[in-house]
Amino acid sequence: MGSLQKFMRPELGKFAGYAACKSPEVLTEEVRRLGVVKLDANENVYGPSPAVTRALGQLNDVHIYPDSCQTELRKALAQYAGVPSENIVAGSGSDQLIDLLVRMFVSPDDEVITFTPTFAMYKFFTDLAGGKFIAVPRDNDYQVVLDRLPEVVSDRTKLIFIAMPNNPTGTQVPLETVYTLLQTGLPVVVDEAYYEFTGQTLADKLDQYPNLIILRTFSKWAGLAGLRIGYGLFPDEVARKLDAIKDPYCVNAAAVTAARASLNDLDYLMDKVKLIIQERERLFQALQGVYYLKPFPSAANFILCRVEGKNGAEIQSRLEQRGILVRYFNSPNMENSLRFSIGKPHDTDRLLTELLKIGEA
Ligand code: PMP
């Protein structure tokens, strides 16, 4: 044991990895019998469009490698996003595109700026690449504060990440904030993972800002988290370099088929998005009435709450025993907090019933 440790990159010694959400598979039989409500990973509780299930059922040709350029999918995405297909690159989840962008721009000791709390994979991939992660804290309402920007940007800064809206806080970012970041001339990655829940995008600004990079995913609005498919809208030279450095078959045939079928069934999926938004508003109102929770307004498919006067980790595990999975955070600027992904109406009811019981205890 441990004999190969000395060959590993020393900087990985401190690398803690990502605390992924729990799969229902690892829950006890007793809890699974209650029926698991998975509200911990911002997935889409309505699942994919039935057109996806049909298309996957008819999927042939899995014995040949998929098109390494995702030609047909990118044509469909060009229509959907209003950006030429040459400026679109797909990846195995937008996570993979974050990884590739960091590898493209960040050498060891180069700096990556973002506004925390935010999506943990920006730090994960920066650390993995040996880069330096510069976290600019958001204010008490989780808005981005740019006052310190001039002092944090250095000649080693290679990337800025901003999630619009932000995960895990749900905070929407004013477009003005992004324009200010773009004016630095640095590569700015605007992560639009939750775009379909807001309609706010910078896709039409790609021509105007040569340093703008946009990431999107099929995991949230289209219910394809398990298939791992994301894409980005990139300036020409970034798209070409991504094509060059990404592994050719990273996007599998099932993912491409499912993504194309989703784009052909937008009405169905956007109806579900509307239901999720309605349910988010209902949950937000109800959470405001739970005395030990302070919910933050959200533009995405989840709501973050600060827990006051109780232990959020204990609440998380109590909910888990009742079959409800939620996410717990306890980090600087996001102490003792719970994030609830939006479920179907009866999931909300179940969650609220348990939260109220916890309040009585
Ligand atoms: N960006 C943000 C802001 C996210 O919240 C997520 C998923 N939680 C991702 C990117 C990654 O999505 P994907 O499933 O496409 O890797």
Side-chain angles (χ1 to χ4, degrees):
M1 270 288 279
S3 62
L4 296 187
Q5 191 88 35
K6 61 178 182 291
F7 296 105
M8 293 180 192
R9 286 165 53 205
E11 62 274 24
L12 293 186
K14 288 186 277 140
F15 193 69
Y18 179 76
C21 64
K22 228 179 216 178
S23 160
E25 282 171 43
V26 303
L27 300 175
T28 62
E29 194 51 42
E30 201 185 337
V31 169
R32 278 195 283 169
R33 260 201 301 273
L34 296 170
V36 176
V37 181
K38 207 169 169 313
L39 306 180
D40 58 344
N42 305 341
E43 292 137 335
N44 188 327
V45 279
Y46 291 96
S49 128
V52 166
T53 323
R54 276 197 301 277
L56 289 178
Q58 290 159 10
L59 183 64
N60 292 315
D61 292 347
V62 292
H63 57 295
I64 61 171
Y65 288 103
D67 173 13
S68 65
C69 313
Q70 300 88 38
T71 313
E72 291 303 323
L73 173 62
R74 284 174 38 245
K75 269 191 215 158
L77 281 171
Q79 274 236 311
Y80 179 67
V83 167
S85 63
E86 301 78 63
N87 297 91
I88 300 176
V89 179
S92 171
S94 47
D95 279 349
Q96 189 194 26
L97 295 167
I98 297 170
D99 179 18
L100 290 172
L101 288 169
V102 172
R103 291 202 225 188
M104 184 186 303
F105 288 102
V106 180
S107 298
D109 296 328
D110 280 345
E111 295 173 1
V112 173
I113 295 177
T114 192
F115 305 91
T116 54
T118 191
F119 185 44
M121 297 307 278
Y122 309 145
K123 175 166 168 35
F124 176 99
F125 287 121
T126 303
D127 288 350
L128 200 53
K132 213 167 139 201
F133 186 73
I134 309 288
V136 180
R138 290 165 178 257
D139 71 9
N140 289 340
D141 293 320
Y142 294 131
Q143 296 295 336
V144 171
V145 191
L146 292 181
D147 305 359
R148 281 188 52 220
L149 192 64
E151 55 188 272
V152 291
V153 169
S154 80
D155 53 8
R156 295 230 66 156
T157 310
K158 292 294 164 66
L159 272 178
I160 299 179
F161 279 101
I162 184 157
M164 183 181 93
N166 188 42
N167 176 21
T169 62
T171 328
Q172 187 51 305
V173 181
L175 289 173
E176 295 312 315
T177 302
V178 188
Y179 297 144
T180 308
L181 295 176
L182 285 163
Q183 273 144 24
T184 60
L186 292 160
V188 177
V189 182
V190 180
D191 186 341
E192 296 187 357
Y194 301 93
Y195 153 66
E196 282 77 6
F197 298 93
T198 68
Q200 178 174 298
T201 177
L202 272 95
D204 58 341
K205 298 289 183 295
L206 279 172
D207 284 342
Q208 207 173 320
Y209 294 100
N211 53 334
L212 170 61
I213 292 169
I214 295 173
L215 296 181
R216 299 226 187 126
T217 178
F218 282 82
S219 296
K220 313 299 176 184
W221 69 285
L224 300 185
L227 285 173
R228 314 303 302 123
I229 174 93
Y231 64 100
L233 314 174
F234 303 100
D236 290 328
E237 73 274 21
V238 177
R240 295 298 69 79
K241 194 57 84 185
L242 277 173
D243 285 339
I245 68 171
K246 79 176 195 157
D247 95 68
Y249 307 120
C250 57
V251 182
N252 70 69
V256 170
T257 300
R260 288 179 63 193
S262 303
L263 293 171
N264 279 329
D265 204 9
L266 289 179
D267 288 349
Y268 175 92
L269 289 168
M270 290 313 288
D271 275 352
K272 299 294 182 246
V273 165
K274 270 191 218 133
L275 290 180
I276 292 167
I277 294 170
Q278 269 170 29
E279 199 55 20
R280 179 187 75 207
E281 295 315 300
R282 181 168 88 94
L283 179 63
F284 184 77
Q285 296 241 317
L287 290 172
Q288 282 182 313
V290 178
Y291 71 89
Y292 59 90
L293 294 177
K294 177 187 181 325
F296 291 89
S298 169
N301 65 344
F302 56 83
I303 295 175
L304 183 78
C305 299
R306 183 148 314 139
V307 182
E308 287 163 349
K310 285 189 186 289
N311 182 325
E314 280 170 17
I315 297 174
Q316 180 198 34
S317 92
R318 173 122 181 236
L319 289 171
E320 183 181 312
Q321 284 156 22
R322 308 297 307 147
I324 303 170
L325 303 185
V326 303
R327 188 84 196 225
Y328 173 66
F329 296 95
N330 193 19
S331 56
N333 205 15
M334 191 172 46
E335 292 83 7
N336 200 29
S337 300
L338 291 169
R339 189 193 64 195
F340 308 122
S341 307
I342 306 304
K344 293 180 182 174
H346 65 266
D347 302 329
T348 307
D349 294 342
R350 237 175 105 179
L351 173 66
L352 288 170
T353 306
E354 294 303 329
L355 290 174
L356 293 176
K357 274 195 216 154
I358 290 167
E360 287 159 11

